[in-house]
Every structure is written in structure tokens, then in C-alpha cells.
Coordinates of all heavy atoms in Angstrom, one line a residue:
M46 N 16.9 54.7 -14.5 CA 17.6 56.0 -14.4 C 17.4 56.8 -15.7 O 17.0 56.2 -16.7 CB 19.0 55.9 -14.1 CG 19.9 55.2 -15.2 SD 21.6 55.0 -14.8 CE 22.1 56.7 -14.7
T47 N 17.5 58.1 -15.7 CA 17.4 58.9 -16.9 C 18.8 59.3 -17.4 O 19.7 59.6 -16.7 CB 16.6 60.2 -16.5 OG1 15.4 59.8 -15.9 CG2 16.3 61.0 -17.8
T48 N 18.9 59.1 -18.7 CA 20.2 59.5 -19.3 C 19.9 60.3 -20.6 O 18.7 60.5 -20.9 CB 20.9 58.2 -19.7 OG1 22.2 58.5 -20.2 CG2 20.2 57.3 -20.7
T49 N 20.9 60.8 -21.2 CA 20.7 61.5 -22.4 C 21.2 60.8 -23.6 O 22.4 60.4 -23.6 CB 21.4 62.9 -22.3 OG1 20.9 63.6 -21.2 CG2 21.1 63.8 -23.6
V50 N 20.4 60.6 -24.7 CA 20.8 59.9 -25.9 C 20.4 60.8 -27.1 O 19.3 61.2 -27.2 CB 20.0 58.5 -26.0 CG1 20.4 57.8 -27.3 CG2 20.3 57.6 -24.8
D51 N 21.4 61.1 -27.8 CA 21.2 62.0 -29.0 C 20.6 63.3 -28.6 O 19.7 63.8 -29.3 CB 20.4 61.2 -30.1 CG 21.2 60.0 -30.6 OD1 22.4 60.0 -30.6 OD2 20.5 59.1 -31.1
G52 N 20.9 63.8 -27.5 CA 20.4 65.1 -27.0 C 19.0 65.0 -26.5 O 18.4 66.0 -26.1
K53 N 18.4 63.8 -26.4 CA 17.1 63.6 -25.8 C 17.2 62.8 -24.5 O 18.0 61.9 -24.4 CB 16.2 62.9 -26.8 CG 15.9 63.7 -28.1 CD 15.1 62.9 -29.1 CE 13.9 62.3 -28.6 NZ 13.1 61.5 -29.6
M54 N 16.3 63.1 -23.6 CA 16.2 62.4 -22.4 C 15.6 61.0 -22.7 O 14.7 60.8 -23.4 CB 15.4 63.1 -21.4 CG 15.9 64.4 -21.0 SD 17.4 64.3 -19.9 CE 16.7 64.0 -18.4
A55 N 16.3 60.0 -22.1 CA 15.7 58.6 -22.3 C 16.0 57.9 -21.0 O 16.8 58.3 -20.1 CB 16.4 57.9 -23.4
M56 N 15.3 56.7 -20.9 CA 15.5 56.0 -19.6 C 16.1 54.6 -19.9 O 16.0 54.1 -21.0 CB 14.1 55.7 -18.9 CG 13.5 57.0 -18.5 SD 12.0 56.7 -17.6 CE 11.0 56.0 -18.9
R57 N 16.9 54.2 -19.0 CA 17.4 52.8 -19.1 C 17.5 52.2 -17.6 O 17.6 53.0 -16.7 CB 18.8 52.8 -19.7 CG 19.9 53.5 -19.0 CD 21.2 53.4 -19.7 NE 22.2 54.2 -19.1 CZ 23.0 53.8 -18.1 NH1 22.7 52.6 -17.5 NH2 23.9 54.5 -17.6
P58 N 17.4 50.9 -17.5 CA 17.6 50.3 -16.2 C 19.0 50.6 -15.7 O 19.9 50.7 -16.4 CB 17.3 48.8 -16.5 CG 16.7 48.7 -17.8 CD 17.2 49.9 -18.6
K59 N 19.0 50.6 -14.3 CA 20.3 50.9 -13.7 C 20.9 49.5 -13.3 O 20.4 48.8 -12.5 CB 20.0 51.7 -12.4 CG 21.2 51.9 -11.5 CD 22.1 53.1 -12.0 CE 23.0 53.5 -10.9 NZ 24.1 52.6 -10.6
D60 N 22.0 49.2 -14.0 CA 22.7 47.9 -13.7 C 23.1 47.9 -12.2 O 23.7 48.8 -11.7 CB 23.9 47.8 -14.6 CG 23.6 47.6 -16.0 OD1 22.5 47.1 -16.3 OD2 24.4 47.9 -16.9
G61 N 22.7 46.8 -11.6 CA 23.1 46.6 -10.2 C 22.2 47.3 -9.2 O 22.5 47.3 -8.0
G62 N 21.3 48.1 -9.7 CA 20.4 48.8 -8.8 C 21.1 50.1 -8.2 O 22.2 50.5 -8.6
F63 N 20.5 50.6 -7.2 CA 21.0 51.8 -6.5 C 21.6 51.4 -5.2 O 21.0 50.7 -4.5 CB 19.9 52.8 -6.3 CG 19.2 53.3 -7.5 CD1 18.0 52.9 -7.9 CD2 19.9 54.3 -8.3 CE1 17.4 53.3 -9.1 CE2 19.3 54.8 -9.5 CZ 18.1 54.3 -9.9
V64 N 22.8 51.9 -5.0 CA 23.5 51.6 -3.7 C 23.3 52.8 -2.8 O 23.7 53.9 -3.2 CB 25.0 51.4 -3.9 CG1 25.7 51.2 -2.6 CG2 25.2 50.1 -4.8
I65 N 22.6 52.6 -1.7 CA 22.3 53.7 -0.8 C 23.0 53.4 0.5 O 22.7 52.4 1.1 CB 20.8 53.8 -0.6 CG1 20.0 54.1 -1.9 CG2 20.4 55.0 0.4 CD1 18.5 54.0 -1.8
P66 N 23.9 54.2 1.0 CA 24.6 53.9 2.2 C 23.7 53.9 3.4 O 22.6 54.5 3.4 CB 25.6 55.1 2.3 CG 25.2 56.1 1.4 CD 24.3 55.5 0.4
A67 N 24.1 53.1 4.5 CA 23.3 53.1 5.7 C 23.0 54.5 6.2 O 23.9 55.4 6.2 CB 24.1 52.3 6.8
N68 N 21.8 54.7 6.5 CA 21.3 56.0 7.0 C 21.4 57.1 5.9 O 21.2 58.2 6.3 CB 22.0 56.4 8.3 CG 21.9 55.4 9.4 OD1 20.8 55.0 9.7 ND2 23.0 55.1 10.1
G69 N 21.6 56.7 4.7 CA 21.7 57.6 3.6 C 20.3 57.7 2.9 O 19.3 57.2 3.4
S70 N 20.3 58.4 1.9 CA 19.1 58.6 1.1 C 19.4 58.7 -0.4 O 20.5 58.9 -0.8 CB 18.3 59.9 1.6 OG 19.1 61.0 1.3
H71 N 18.4 58.5 -1.2 CA 18.5 58.6 -2.6 C 17.2 59.1 -3.1 O 16.2 58.6 -2.8 CB 18.9 57.2 -3.2 CG 19.2 57.3 -4.7 ND1 20.5 57.4 -5.1 CD2 18.4 57.4 -5.8 CE1 20.6 57.5 -6.4 NE2 19.3 57.5 -6.9
E72 N 17.3 60.2 -3.9 CA 16.0 60.8 -4.4 C 15.5 60.2 -5.6 O 16.3 60.1 -6.6 CB 16.3 62.3 -4.6 CG 15.0 63.0 -5.0 CD 15.2 64.5 -5.4 OE1 16.4 64.9 -5.7 OE2 14.2 65.3 -5.3
F73 N 14.3 59.8 -5.6 CA 13.6 59.4 -6.8 C 12.6 60.5 -7.2 O 11.9 61.0 -6.4 CB 12.8 58.1 -6.6 CG 13.7 56.9 -6.3 CD1 13.7 56.3 -5.1 CD2 14.5 56.4 -7.3 CE1 14.6 55.2 -4.9 CE2 15.3 55.3 -7.1 CZ 15.4 54.7 -5.9
R74 N 12.6 60.9 -8.5 CA 11.7 61.9 -8.9 C 11.5 61.8 -10.4 O 12.3 61.2 -11.1 CB 12.3 63.3 -8.6 CG 13.7 63.5 -9.2 CD 14.3 64.9 -8.9 NE 15.6 65.0 -9.4 CZ 16.0 65.3 -10.6 NH1 15.0 65.5 -11.5 NH2 17.2 65.4 -11.0
P75 N 10.4 62.4 -10.9 CA 10.2 62.5 -12.4 C 11.3 63.1 -13.1 O 11.8 64.2 -12.6 CB 8.9 63.3 -12.5 CG 8.2 63.2 -11.2 CD 9.3 63.1 -10.1
G76 N 11.8 62.5 -14.1 CA 12.9 63.1 -14.9 C 14.3 62.7 -14.3 O 15.3 63.0 -15.0
G77 N 14.3 62.1 -13.2 CA 15.5 61.6 -12.6 C 15.4 60.1 -12.3 O 14.7 59.4 -13.0
D78 N 16.2 59.7 -11.3 CA 16.1 58.3 -11.0 C 14.7 58.0 -10.5 O 14.1 58.8 -9.7 CB 17.1 57.9 -9.9 CG 18.5 58.0 -10.4 OD1 18.7 57.9 -11.7 OD2 19.4 58.1 -9.6
H79 N 14.1 56.9 -10.9 CA 12.8 56.5 -10.4 C 12.6 55.0 -10.4 O 13.3 54.3 -11.1 CB 11.7 57.2 -11.3 CG 11.8 56.9 -12.8 ND1 12.7 57.6 -13.6 CD2 11.3 56.0 -13.6 CE1 12.6 57.2 -14.8 NE2 11.8 56.1 -14.8
L80 N 11.6 54.6 -9.7 CA 11.2 53.2 -9.8 C 10.2 53.1 -10.9 O 9.3 54.0 -11.1 CB 10.5 52.8 -8.5 CG 11.3 53.0 -7.2 CD1 10.5 52.6 -6.0 CD2 12.6 52.2 -7.3
M81 N 10.2 52.1 -11.7 CA 9.3 52.0 -12.9 C 8.7 50.6 -12.9 O 9.4 49.6 -12.8 CB 10.2 52.2 -14.1 CG 9.4 52.2 -15.4 SD 10.3 53.2 -16.6 CE 9.7 52.4 -18.1
L82 N 7.4 50.6 -13.1 CA 6.7 49.3 -13.2 C 6.9 48.8 -14.6 O 6.6 49.5 -15.6 CB 5.2 49.5 -12.9 CG 4.9 50.1 -11.5 CD1 3.4 50.2 -11.3 CD2 5.6 49.4 -10.4
M83 N 7.3 47.5 -14.7 CA 7.4 46.9 -16.0 C 6.4 45.8 -16.2 O 6.1 45.0 -15.2 CB 8.8 46.3 -16.2 CG 10.0 47.3 -15.8 SD 10.2 48.6 -17.1 CE 11.1 47.7 -18.3
D84 N 5.9 45.6 -17.4 CA 5.0 44.4 -17.6 C 3.8 44.4 -16.7 O 3.4 43.4 -16.1 CB 5.8 43.1 -17.5 CG 6.9 43.0 -18.5 OD1 6.7 43.5 -19.6 OD2 8.0 42.4 -18.2
V85 N 3.3 45.6 -16.5 CA 2.1 45.7 -15.6 C 0.9 45.1 -16.3 O 0.6 45.3 -17.5 CB 1.8 47.2 -15.3 CG1 0.5 47.3 -14.5 CG2 3.0 47.8 -14.6
T86 N 0.2 44.2 -15.6 CA -0.9 43.5 -16.3 C -2.3 44.1 -15.8 O -3.3 43.7 -16.4 CB -0.9 42.0 -15.9 OG1 -0.9 41.8 -14.5 CG2 0.3 41.4 -16.5
T87 N -2.3 44.9 -14.8 CA -3.5 45.5 -14.3 C -3.5 47.0 -14.5 O -2.5 47.6 -14.1 CB -3.8 45.2 -12.9 OG1 -3.8 43.8 -12.7 CG2 -5.1 45.7 -12.4
E88 N -4.5 47.6 -15.1 CA -4.5 49.0 -15.4 C -4.5 49.8 -14.1 O -5.2 49.4 -13.1 CB -5.7 49.4 -16.2 CG -5.8 50.9 -16.5 CD -7.1 51.2 -17.3 OE1 -7.9 50.4 -17.4 OE2 -7.2 52.4 -17.7
V89 N -3.7 50.8 -14.0 CA -3.7 51.7 -12.8 C -4.4 53.0 -13.2 O -4.0 53.7 -14.2 CB -2.2 52.0 -12.3 CG1 -2.3 53.0 -11.2 CG2 -1.5 50.7 -11.9
K90 N -5.5 53.3 -12.6 CA -6.2 54.5 -12.9 C -5.8 55.6 -12.0 O -5.3 55.4 -10.9 CB -7.7 54.2 -12.8 CG -8.3 53.1 -13.7 CD -9.8 53.1 -13.6 CE -10.4 52.1 -14.6 NZ -10.0 50.7 -14.2
A91 N -6.0 56.8 -12.5 CA -5.8 58.0 -11.6 C -6.6 57.9 -10.3 O -7.7 57.6 -10.3 CB -6.1 59.3 -12.3
G92 N -5.9 58.1 -9.2 CA -6.5 58.0 -7.9 C -6.4 56.6 -7.2 O -6.6 56.5 -6.0
D93 N -6.0 55.6 -8.0 CA -5.8 54.3 -7.4 C -4.7 54.4 -6.4 O -3.7 55.1 -6.6 CB -5.5 53.3 -8.5 CG -6.7 52.8 -9.3 OD1 -7.8 53.2 -8.9 OD2 -6.5 52.1 -10.2
Q94 N -4.8 53.6 -5.4 CA -3.7 53.5 -4.4 C -3.0 52.1 -4.7 O -3.6 51.1 -4.7 CB -4.2 53.5 -3.0 CG -4.9 54.8 -2.6 CD -4.9 55.1 -1.1 OE1 -4.3 54.4 -0.4 NE2 -5.7 56.1 -0.7
V95 N -1.7 52.2 -4.9 CA -1.0 51.0 -5.3 C 0.1 50.8 -4.2 O 0.9 51.7 -3.9 CB -0.3 51.2 -6.7 CG1 0.5 49.9 -7.0 CG2 -1.3 51.6 -7.7
S96 N 0.1 49.6 -3.6 CA 1.0 49.3 -2.5 C 2.3 48.6 -3.1 O 2.2 47.8 -4.0 CB 0.4 48.3 -1.6 OG -0.7 48.8 -1.0
F97 N 3.4 49.1 -2.6 CA 4.7 48.5 -3.0 C 5.5 48.0 -1.8 O 5.4 48.5 -0.7 CB 5.6 49.7 -3.7 CG 5.0 50.2 -4.9 CD1 4.0 51.2 -4.9 CD2 5.4 49.7 -6.2 CE1 3.5 51.7 -6.1 CE2 4.9 50.2 -7.4 CZ 4.0 51.2 -7.3
T98 N 6.2 47.0 -2.1 CA 7.2 46.5 -1.1 C 8.5 46.3 -1.8 O 8.6 45.5 -2.7 CB 6.7 45.2 -0.4 OG1 5.5 45.4 0.2 CG2 7.7 44.7 0.6
L99 N 9.5 47.1 -1.4 CA 10.8 47.0 -1.9 C 11.6 46.0 -1.0 O 11.6 46.1 0.2 CB 11.5 48.3 -1.9 CG 10.8 49.5 -2.6 CD1 11.7 50.7 -2.6 CD2 10.4 49.1 -4.0
T100 N 12.3 45.1 -1.7 CA 13.1 44.1 -0.9 C 14.6 44.6 -1.0 O 15.1 44.7 -2.1 CB 13.0 42.7 -1.4 OG1 11.6 42.3 -1.3 CG2 13.9 41.7 -0.6
L101 N 15.2 44.9 0.1 CA 16.6 45.4 0.1 C 17.6 44.2 0.0 O 17.2 43.1 0.4 CB 16.8 46.3 1.3 CG 15.7 47.4 1.5 CD1 16.1 48.2 2.8 CD2 15.6 48.3 0.3
Q102 N 18.8 44.6 -0.4 CA 19.8 43.5 -0.5 C 20.0 42.8 0.8 O 20.3 41.6 0.8 CB 21.1 44.1 -1.0 CG 22.1 43.1 -1.5 CD 23.3 43.7 -2.2 OE1 23.8 44.8 -1.8 NE2 23.7 43.2 -3.3
G103 N 20.0 43.5 1.9 CA 20.2 42.9 3.2 C 19.0 42.1 3.7 O 19.1 41.5 4.8
G104 N 18.0 42.1 3.0 CA 16.8 41.3 3.4 C 15.7 42.0 4.0 O 14.6 41.5 4.1
G105 N 15.9 43.3 4.3 CA 14.9 44.1 4.9 C 13.9 44.6 3.8 O 14.2 44.4 2.6
T106 N 12.8 45.1 4.2 CA 11.8 45.6 3.2 C 11.4 47.0 3.6 O 11.5 47.4 4.7 CB 10.6 44.7 3.2 OG1 9.9 44.6 4.5 CG2 10.9 43.3 2.7
V107 N 11.0 47.7 2.5 CA 10.4 49.0 2.7 C 9.1 49.0 2.0 O 9.0 48.7 0.8 CB 11.3 50.1 2.1 CG1 10.6 51.5 2.2 CG2 12.7 50.1 2.8
S108 N 8.0 49.4 2.7 CA 6.7 49.4 2.0 C 6.2 50.8 2.0 O 6.4 51.6 2.8 CB 5.7 48.5 2.8 OG 6.1 47.2 2.9
F109 N 5.4 51.1 0.9 CA 4.8 52.4 0.8 C 3.6 52.3 -0.2 O 3.5 51.3 -0.9 CB 5.8 53.5 0.3 CG 6.3 53.2 -1.1 CD1 5.8 53.8 -2.2 CD2 7.4 52.4 -1.3 CE1 6.3 53.6 -3.5 CE2 8.0 52.2 -2.6 CZ 7.4 52.7 -3.7
T110 N 2.8 53.3 -0.2 CA 1.6 53.3 -1.1 C 1.8 54.6 -2.0 O 2.1 55.6 -1.5 CB 0.3 53.4 -0.3 OG1 0.3 52.3 0.6 CG2 -0.9 53.5 -1.2
A111 N 1.5 54.3 -3.3 CA 1.6 55.4 -4.2 C 0.2 55.7 -4.8 O -0.6 54.7 -4.9 CB 2.6 55.1 -5.3
I112 N 0.0 56.9 -5.3 CA -1.3 57.2 -5.9 C -1.2 57.3 -7.4 O -0.2 57.9 -7.9 CB -1.8 58.6 -5.4 CG1 -1.8 58.7 -3.8 CG2 -3.2 58.9 -5.9 CD1 -2.7 57.7 -3.2
G113 N -2.0 56.6 -8.1 CA -2.0 56.6 -9.6 C -2.3 58.0 -10.0 O -3.2 58.7 -9.5
K114 N -1.6 58.4 -11.1 CA -1.8 59.8 -11.7 C -2.1 59.6 -13.2 O -1.7 58.6 -13.8 CB -0.6 60.7 -11.4 CG -0.4 61.0 -10.0 CD 0.8 62.0 -9.8 CE 1.0 62.4 -8.4 NZ 2.1 63.3 -8.2
D115 N -2.7 60.7 -13.7 CA -3.0 60.7 -15.1 C -1.7 60.5 -15.9 O -0.7 61.1 -15.5 CB -3.7 62.0 -15.5 CG -4.2 62.0 -16.9 OD1 -3.5 61.9 -17.9 OD2 -5.5 62.0 -17.0
F116 N -1.7 59.8 -17.0 CA -0.5 59.5 -17.7 C 0.2 60.7 -18.3 O 1.4 60.8 -18.5 CB -0.7 58.5 -18.8 CG 0.5 58.0 -19.6 CD1 1.4 57.2 -18.9 CD2 0.7 58.4 -20.9 CE1 2.6 56.8 -19.6 CE2 1.9 58.0 -21.5 CZ 2.8 57.2 -20.9
A117 N -0.6 61.8 -18.5 CA 0.0 63.0 -19.0 C 1.0 63.6 -18.1 O 1.8 64.4 -18.5 CB -1.1 64.0 -19.3
A118 N 1.0 63.2 -16.8 CA 2.0 63.7 -15.9 C 3.4 63.2 -16.2 O 4.4 63.8 -15.8 CB 1.6 63.3 -14.5
G119 N 3.5 62.1 -17.0 CA 4.8 61.5 -17.2 C 5.1 61.5 -18.7 O 4.7 60.6 -19.4
N120 N 5.8 62.5 -19.2 CA 6.1 62.5 -20.7 C 7.5 62.1 -20.8 O 8.4 62.9 -20.8 CB 5.8 63.9 -21.2 CG 6.1 64.0 -22.7 OD1 6.2 63.0 -23.4 ND2 6.2 65.2 -23.2
E121 N 7.7 60.8 -21.0 CA 9.1 60.3 -21.0 C 9.3 59.4 -22.2 O 8.3 58.8 -22.8 CB 9.3 59.4 -19.7 CG 9.1 60.2 -18.5 CD 9.3 59.4 -17.2 OE1 8.8 58.2 -17.3 OE2 9.8 59.8 -16.2
S122 N 10.5 59.3 -22.7 CA 10.8 58.5 -23.8 C 11.6 57.3 -23.4 O 12.2 57.3 -22.3 CB 11.5 59.3 -24.9 OG 12.7 59.8 -24.5
Y123 N 11.7 56.3 -24.3 CA 12.4 55.1 -23.9 C 13.5 54.7 -24.9 O 13.4 55.1 -26.1 CB 11.4 53.9 -23.9 CG 10.3 54.2 -22.8 CD1 9.3 55.0 -23.1 CD2 10.5 53.7 -21.5 CE1 8.3 55.3 -22.1 CE2 9.5 53.9 -20.6 CZ 8.4 54.8 -20.9 OH 7.5 55.0 -19.9
L124 N 14.5 54.1 -24.5 CA 15.5 53.6 -25.4 C 14.9 52.6 -26.3 O 14.0 51.9 -26.0 CB 16.7 53.0 -24.7 CG 17.5 53.9 -23.8 CD1 18.6 53.1 -23.1 CD2 18.1 55.0 -24.7
P125 N 15.4 52.5 -27.6 CA 14.8 51.4 -28.5 C 14.9 50.1 -27.8 O 15.9 49.7 -27.2 CB 15.7 51.5 -29.7 CG 16.3 52.9 -29.6 CD 16.4 53.3 -28.2
G126 N 13.9 49.3 -28.0 CA 13.8 47.9 -27.5 C 13.2 47.8 -26.1 O 13.0 46.8 -25.7
M127 N 13.0 49.0 -25.5 CA 12.3 48.9 -24.2 C 10.8 49.2 -24.5 O 10.4 50.1 -25.2 CB 12.8 50.0 -23.3 CG 14.2 49.7 -22.7 SD 14.7 50.9 -21.5 CE 13.5 50.7 -20.2
G128 N 10.0 48.3 -23.9 CA 8.5 48.5 -24.1 C 7.9 49.4 -23.1 O 8.4 49.7 -22.1
Ligands
CU250 CU1 11.2 54.8 -16.3

């Protein structure tokens, strides 16, 4: 999730994840709440299609494909200690 630290936008993991009510929705967007890949070992190039499967607490899954974009699209900062 995105938070404000010393007047600057920064990101931190959301403890406990996001709780989305049945039939509800939750918006993920740049500068707001988002899914973030950590410890990625394979380079994602612009135009690459990356498949994701989210595992929900109830055991269900949600799958989708995202398109890699140029890194300049995401100008974000990180809390100290986050790589
Ligand atoms: Cu992030």
C-alpha cells in the first residue's frame, strides 16, 4: 500500500493483506494500493506478458495476465530497508 512518510509518498506491505467483502471490489492502481513483485529473479521486459495467480484466503484463485511496462512508468520510493 502507499503511505506518506515525511511528506513523501512511500510504500509498505499491508499487514494481513486486503480484505475484500464477498461480491465487493478493491482498486489497485499506480500510486495507490497495488500488487508488487518482490525478489524477482527473471527480468520483465516491456511488452512481456506475465501470468499471475492470486490465492484467496478461502482457497479460490484468481488468474490474470499483466503486460510489462517500461520502468519509467513507476516512479515510486520505498521505506528504508525495503529492497
Ligand atoms: Cu510497491
Side-chain angles (χ1 to χ4, degrees):
M46 64 181 294
T47 304
T48 185
T49 303
V50 178
D51 296 333
K53 294 170 56 179
M54 297 290 278
M56 295 186 295
R57 64 177 174 82
K59 175 84 163 66
D60 290 336
F63 297 103
V64 176
I65 304 170
N68 300 314
S70 64
H71 189 95
E72 182 184 23
F73 293 112
R74 59 180 172 80
D78 292 339
H79 56 274
L80 305 176
M81 185 156 151
L82 306 183
M83 310 286 282
D84 300 324
V85 177
T86 57
T87 303
E88 180 183 8
V89 177
K90 297 187 178 72
D93 282 354
Q94 297 200 13
V95 183
S96 297
F97 294 85
T98 300
L99 307 183
T100 300
L101 309 180
Q102 192 171 43
T106 60
V107 176
S108 297
F109 63 94
T110 300
I112 308 297
K114 293 185 178 178
D115 192 293
F116 186 69
N120 182 14
E121 301 174 324
S122 60
Y123 298 83
L124 292 179
M127 287 185 63

